[in-house]
């Protein structure tokens, strides 16, 4: 049994010495709107080796979260528009998401699903929800990949993970099962032998996209957890959110991408910040992001280059960020539809 020492409130953060007592009144209104969670691993990093505050700023609430800009929205990437069943999102023909749980080991201050996650969030998929989602996939041979997300799906017990994998393994036309998680980095103690075995035990290709935004998040236990997953045959990929004041510099991104490769994690996505409520202080411009990505090209091997992507508001999916998109103020997606970015008011 993993003992949970997560800090879950402003009071907890004050008691742990991560905020001054004066922060209580100032930050309570933030905590009332958005879940608070700092894992013991990330609290230890903040205390011992976070010289620039790159870890702290990701998890410790900030009064600026109360500022909501007109473009920000409840469901920034438009999950709801593509959700035919509870917990299932079907945006592209060949893949679906299962949002298995709505809890996480930490609550990131920039989270794109911040209004759906947390103790008061959407909730977990029940046995019936899972069976219905599996039946949906079984009935559609064009679906080749299931992406397991949340919240953080590795908040589930090994036993529950085995149940999920059994459902998916039984679908013959499925090729890939892909986990999206922050657990290996922020709560590596959860990655027991039992959980690693449960995640990886499948005849299908099992991929795991690990969410990490700064090399200072990568502790010894996190590295050990990633190695255990790799030894178990899991294909490791990265996903990083570009965050102002945290990783929006060439040295920060270069160090992180090199760390991923050293650990056998293939850099996959660098996400532009989504239009989640109260997160404008974290967003760079698209042009700033593109400048950074172009600078990385001269410094890192092709293996270490993530694709810089924008999730279009409204649910049209991901597009690569390009100079054309910026100059034209939008992009035509794979469906042939035009999407303005930044989105027009009210869209
Ligand atoms: S772990 Fe993922 S889903 Fe959970 S708060 Fe962080 S970004 Fe959001």
């Amino acid at each position: 049994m993993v003992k949970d020492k997560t800090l879950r409130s402003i009071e907890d953060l004050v008691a742990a010495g991560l905020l001054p007592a004066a922060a209580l009144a100032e930050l309570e209104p933030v905590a009332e709107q958005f879940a608070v969670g700092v894992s013991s691993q990330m609290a230890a990093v903040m205390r011992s080796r976070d010289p620039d505050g790159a870890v702290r700023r990701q998890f410790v609430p900030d009064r600026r979260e109360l500022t909501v800009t007109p473009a920000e929205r409840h469901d920034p990437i438009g999950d709801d528009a593509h959700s035919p069943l509870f917990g299932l999102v079907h945006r592209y023909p060949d893949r679906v998401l299962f949002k298995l749980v709505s809890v996480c080991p930490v609550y990131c201050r920039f989270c794109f699903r911040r209004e759906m996650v947390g103790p008061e969030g959407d909730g977990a998929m029940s046995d019936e929800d899972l069976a219905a989602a599996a039946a949906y996939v079984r009935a559609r041979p064009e679906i080749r990949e299931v992406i397991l997300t949340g919240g953080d799906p590795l908040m589930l017990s090994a036993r529950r993970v085995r149940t999920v994998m059994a459902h998916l393994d039984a679908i013959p036309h499925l090729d890939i099962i892909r986990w999206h998680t922050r657990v290996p980095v922020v709560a590596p103690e959860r990655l027991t032998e039992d959980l690693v075995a449960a995640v990886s035990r499948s005849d299908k290709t099992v991929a795991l996209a690990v969410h990490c935004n700064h090399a200072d998040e990568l502790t010894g236990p996190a590295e050990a957890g990633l190695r255990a997953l790799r030894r178990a045959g899991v294909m490791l990929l990265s996903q990083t959110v570009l965050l102002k004041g945290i990783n929006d510099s060439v040295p920060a991104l270069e160090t992180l991408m090199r760390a991923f490769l050293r650990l056998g994690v293939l850099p996959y996505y660098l996400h532009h910040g989504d239009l989640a409520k109260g997160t404008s202080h974290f967003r760079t411009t698209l042009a700033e992001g593109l400048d950074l990505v172009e600078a990385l090209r001269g410094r890192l091997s092709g293996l270490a280059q993530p694709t810089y992507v924008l999730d279009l508001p409204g649910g049209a999916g991901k597009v690569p960020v390009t100079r054309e998109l910026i100059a034209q103020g939008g992009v035509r997606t794979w469906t042939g539809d035009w999407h303005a970015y930044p989105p027009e008011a009210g869209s």
Side-chain angles (χ1 to χ4, degrees):
M1 187 74 176
V2 180
K3 198 159 176 223
D4 181 14
K5 295 192 195 132
T6 303
L7 307 171
R8 297 188 182 280
S9 63
I10 304 297
E11 286 96 326
D12 285 355
L13 291 169
V14 170
L18 294 173
L19 279 173
L24 267 176
E26 189 193 336
L27 294 176
E28 264 315 322
V30 179
E32 276 163 23
Q33 278 199 46
F34 305 113
V36 172
V38 179
S39 64
S40 55
Q41 188 73 24
M42 289 299 102
V45 169
M46 285 179 216
R47 288 197 194 93
S48 62
R49 42 167 264 192
D50 188 22
D52 306 322
V55 175
R56 177 189 173 86
R57 283 197 292 274
Q58 293 185 52
F59 305 117
V60 173
D62 186 302
R63 186 90 190 160
R64 287 174 292 179
E65 293 172 52
L66 297 174
T67 303
V68 177
T69 66
E72 290 176 345
R73 46 193 71 201
H74 171 82
D75 177 21
I77 72 165
D79 283 347
D80 292 350
H82 297 276
S83 186
L85 298 173
F86 178 77
L88 183 142
V89 179
H90 193 184
R91 199 185 318 271
Y92 305 98
D94 71 332
R95 71 212 99 130
V96 293
L97 301 185
F98 286 10
K99 295 198 280 187
L100 293 172
V101 289
S102 63
V103 290
C104 301
V106 285
Y107 290 106
C108 310
R109 308 322 302 167
F110 48 85
C111 175
F112 67 123
R113 292 200 179 115
R114 60 189 328 209
E115 295 190 80
M116 296 89 170
V117 301
E120 314 287 323
D122 283 355
M125 289 174 75
S126 65
D127 285 342
E128 292 72 30
D129 297 327
L130 194 54
Y136 180 96
V137 176
R138 205 174 305 113
R140 292 168 177 77
E142 68 276 17
I143 297 175
R144 311 301 289 270
E145 181 173 3
V146 171
I147 297 164
L148 300 168
T149 180
D152 195 313
L154 292 192
M155 293 298 279
L156 293 174
S157 66
R159 192 165 74 166
R160 187 67 176 161
V161 167
R162 280 192 287 274
T163 302
V164 172
M165 293 300 266
H167 273 291
L168 300 180
D169 263 339
I171 303 174
H173 58 264
L174 210 54
D175 296 330
I176 303 179
I177 301 168
R178 186 192 339 158
W179 296 87
H180 273 240
T181 176
R182 210 140 162 49
V183 158
V185 170
V186 302
E189 71 283 358
R190 291 194 61 81
L191 273 188
T192 58
E193 256 178 61
D194 201 17
L195 187 62
V196 170
V199 163
S200 58
R201 193 171 297 142
S202 173
D203 289 334
K204 301 186 186 296
T205 295
V206 178
L208 184 145
V210 61
H211 177 175
C212 176
N213 303 318
H214 195 280
D216 286 348
E217 290 168 59
L218 291 165
T219 59
E223 297 194 2
L226 291 169
R227 285 199 191 93
L229 286 162
R230 190 149 63 98
R231 274 197 302 273
V234 176
M235 178 198 292
L236 296 178
L237 310 167
S238 75
Q239 60 167 347
T240 294
V241 185
L242 181 61
L243 296 166
K244 194 192 269 184
I246 292 173
N247 60 12
D248 62 333
S249 73
V250 173
L253 289 174
E254 179 179 349
T255 306
L256 179 61
M257 298 307 145
R258 288 195 191 283
F260 284 147
L261 271 197
R262 178 171 54 79
L263 294 167
V265 178
L266 195 67
Y268 181 38
Y269 277 145
L270 177 66
H271 290 268
H272 187 72
D274 292 311
L275 295 170
K277 286 188 184 170
T279 62
S280 59
H281 55 296
F282 284 118
R283 276 193 300 280
T284 66
T285 64
L286 292 173
E288 286 164 347
L290 208 46
D291 286 346
L292 288 167
V293 168
E294 286 174 359
L296 286 181
R297 272 195 214 123
R299 300 168 76 109
L300 291 169
S301 94
L303 273 181
Q305 308 282 347
T307 304
Y308 179 36
V309 291
L310 170 68
D311 242 307
L312 289 165
K318 285 184 188 56
V319 289
V321 178
T322 61
R323 294 278 168 212
E324 292 71 35
L325 186 159
I326 297 169
Q328 294 167 9
V331 64
R332 203 165 292 287
T333 61
W334 63 277
T335 58
D337 296 324
W338 173 260
H339 295 271
Y341 193 89
E344 284 137 22
S347 66

